[in-house]
């Protein structure tokens, strides 16, 4: 039986990026109950097509009309991926189903997901992503993150809100491990602004240009010293290969929910590793379900940089999972239980559920 639940959970603090401000996390959770096992997935889409073209409505539609039917009979993520290839794009919808099938398999084999999918370090270095806010507010958030022990601090910027905030952070916090994420806010006419950021010795600048402008990123990479990290631009092995061949990338932010799931994330990690591209695992404000998948991937040996895997307790006063992640001196550990090792708190889920039921009637 395959169920879905769309929930709307308030964020402790609104999260502002160049593409909008999120006050709640509208998450689409998938639940597979079969052979005495309950497996979970989470679609990383939101209510609107702002970060990418997919959103909750399209994802649920794809899952109901196509992807749900591909889950049976063998419930195997690899064969699911093969069958799902005939559906173009919609990697976020596919990812949620694929990841749920990995959780199912790991639970069937009675192994925690981080150990089941590859070579695990059993923990991961944790960074934080801080949304845009008035300068004093943002400086206070950076200060708290430094005190809490985060190993890398990333701040959101946009065209017109960039150099000043970076300068203030450097003045106040010295040479902390600092990066910025523009979420596609700049164009090819803005290279002069981006060149000016070199002097702040950022760990990298994430996704400055539009997602489909790989050539623009390649041109920019030659003009700046700051390493270039791609997020939105990389959705498949082909886009990663193109970025590498064009020399448009130094560092890759892998979000399993963006790239079609676990298999694709693992392939990307290998390709990045072979080509000297740094890798870290990003996030999409996931609940404890999606977070647990991200942390399992971030614990893989091939991931050598701290990612956006701050604990779910940072975003939600109360989450839909019973378990919460804790960070200890900048490190976070995957859950001990089988699969993703977290369970839904159904009682709470019902209070935040907007819509739910069977995927296929
Ligand atoms: O670009 O990395 C991003 C959140 C939502 C959408 C896009 C992004 C983000 C983040 C937050 O930066 C990462 C997290 O989940 O903690
Ligand atoms: Mg990003």
């Amino acid at each position: 039986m395959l169920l879905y639940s769309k929930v709307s959970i308030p964020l402790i603090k609104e999260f502002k990026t160049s593409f909008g401000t999120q006050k709640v996390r509208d998450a689409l959770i998938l639940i597979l109950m079969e052979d005495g096992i309950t497996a979970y997935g989470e679609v990383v889409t939101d209510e609107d097509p702002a970060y990418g073209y997919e959103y909750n409505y399209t994802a649920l539609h794809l899952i109901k009309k196509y992807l749900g039917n591909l889950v049976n009979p063998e419930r195997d993520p690899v064969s699911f991926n093969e069958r799902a290839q005939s559906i173009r794009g919609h990697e976020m919808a596919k990812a949620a189903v694929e990841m749920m099938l990995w959780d199912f398999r790991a639970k069937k084999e009675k192994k925690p997901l981080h150990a089941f999918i590859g070579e695990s370090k059993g923990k991961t270095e944790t960074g934080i992503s801080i949304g845009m806010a008035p300068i004093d507010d943002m400086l206070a958030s950076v200060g708290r993150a430094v005190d809490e022990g985060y190993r890398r601090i990333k701040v959101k910027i946009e065209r017109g809100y960039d150099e000043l905030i970076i300068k203030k952070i450097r003045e106040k916090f010295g040479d902390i491990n600092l990066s910025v994420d523009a979420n596609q806010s700049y164009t090819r006419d803005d290279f002069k602004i981006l060149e000016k950021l070199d002097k702040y010795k950022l760990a990298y600048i994430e996704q400055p240009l539009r997602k489909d402008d790989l050539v623009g990123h390649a041109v920019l990479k030659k003009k700046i010293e700051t390493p270039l990290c791609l997020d939105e631009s990389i959705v498949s092995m082909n886009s990663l290969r193109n970025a590498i061949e064009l020399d448009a990338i130094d560092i890759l932010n892998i979000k399993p929910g963006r790239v079609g799931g676990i298999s694709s994330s693992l392939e990307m990690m290998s390709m990045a590793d072979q080509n000297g591209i740094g890798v870290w695992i990003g996030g999409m404000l996931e609940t404890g379900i999606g977070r647990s998948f991200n942390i399992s991937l971030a614990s893989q040996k091939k991931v050598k940089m701290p990612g956006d895997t701050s604990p779910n307790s940072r975003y939600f006063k109360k989450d839909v999972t019973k378990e919460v992640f804790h960070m200890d001196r900048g490190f976070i550990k995957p859950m001990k239980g089988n699969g993703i090792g977290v369970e839904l708190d159904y009682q709470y889920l019902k209070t935040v559920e907007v819509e739910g039921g069977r995927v296929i009637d």
Side-chain angles (χ1 to χ4, degrees), residues 174-185:
D175 64 351
I176 55 168
N177 186 3
L178 180 67
S179 70
V180 295
D181 186 358
N183 288 109
Q184 318 181 52
S185 169

Side-chain angles (χ1 to χ4, degrees), residues 51 129 154 156 181 183 231 255 283-285 291 315:
Y51 165 87
S129 172
K154 152 175 148 186
K156 295 289 187 180
D181 186 358
N183 288 109
D231 174 352
K255 295 173 180 173
M284 293 286 287
L285 311 183
R291 229 56 189 165
Y315 289 116

Side-chain angles (χ1 to χ4, degrees), residues 174-353:
D175 64 351
I176 55 168
N177 186 3
L178 180 67
S179 70
V180 295
D181 186 358
N183 288 109
Q184 318 181 52
S185 169
Y186 299 89
T187 71
R188 292 196 196 186
D189 296 328
D190 299 324
F191 288 174
K192 283 276 171 302
I193 309 175
L194 299 171
E195 282 167 28
K196 282 211 289 189
L197 303 183
D198 272 346
K199 61 171 173 289
Y200 300 101
K201 303 284 175 225
L202 297 167
Y204 45 87
I205 177 166
E206 182 174 340
Q207 198 69 45
L209 309 179
R210 290 284 296 264
K211 63 178 278 188
D212 55 0
D213 197 6
L214 273 185
V215 173
H217 282 101
V219 176
L220 173 65
K221 187 171 172 307
K222 289 194 177 52
K223 292 183 183 287
I224 60 174
E225 283 164 29
T226 309
L228 199 50
C229 172
L230 293 182
D231 174 352
E232 288 94 318
S233 286
I234 308 300
V235 292
S236 62
M237 284 299 279
N238 268 336
S239 49
L240 178 58
R241 194 176 293 119
N242 287 341
I244 292 171
E245 286 182 8
L246 278 170
D247 195 18
I249 184 171
D250 293 297
I251 292 164
L252 172 63
N253 167 353
I254 299 181
K255 295 173 180 173
R258 181 195 76 231
V259 304
I262 302 274
S263 308
S264 164
S265 298
L266 294 171
E267 276 184 64
M268 285 189 180
M269 274 180 202
S270 296
M271 177 174 270
D273 202 44
Q274 284 157 20
N275 288 278
I277 306 296
V279 165
W280 54 275
I281 304 299
M284 293 286 287
L285 311 183
E286 291 92 343
T287 73
I289 301 280
R291 229 56 189 165
S292 192
F293 283 102
N294 295 354
I295 290 165
S296 298
L297 270 173
S299 302
Q300 298 304 300
K301 281 195 176 147
K302 283 192 178 129
V303 179
K304 295 179 184 119
M305 300 177 76
D308 290 340
T309 51
S310 51
N312 48 340
S313 52
R314 176 190 164 217
Y315 289 116
F316 313 110
K317 196 143 85 193
K318 183 149 178 47
D319 199 347
V320 291
T321 52
K322 288 182 189 155
E323 300 79 3
V324 279
F325 285 94
H326 296 286
M327 185 176 73
D328 182 18
R329 279 156 290 184
F331 282 89
I332 202 160
K333 286 186 177 159
M335 291 291 171
K336 289 210 165 62
N338 295 333
I340 55 170
V342 296
E343 293 289 333
L344 278 180
D345 175 348
Y346 288 98
Q347 251 179 357
Y348 180 63
L349 187 85
K350 286 293 159 209
T351 68
V352 287
E353 185 171 83

Side-chain angles (χ1 to χ4, degrees), residues 8-11 14 21-26 46-47 285 316:
S8 188
I9 332 172
L11 295 177
E14 64 175 34
T21 303
Q22 271 176 270
K23 292 190 167 72
V24 293
R25 164 82 181 122
D26 291 300
D46 186 27
E47 280 299 280
L285 311 183
F316 313 110

Side-chain angles (χ1 to χ4, degrees), residues 70-93:
L70 305 180
V71 168
N72 288 317
E74 63 257 69
R75 296 179 291 275
D76 168 29
V78 176
S79 64
F80 168 79
N81 284 330
E82 282 164 10
R83 282 174 283 165
Q85 265 183 27
S86 62
I87 295 149
R88 308 299 183 195
H90 297 276
E91 313 302 334
M92 294 181 179

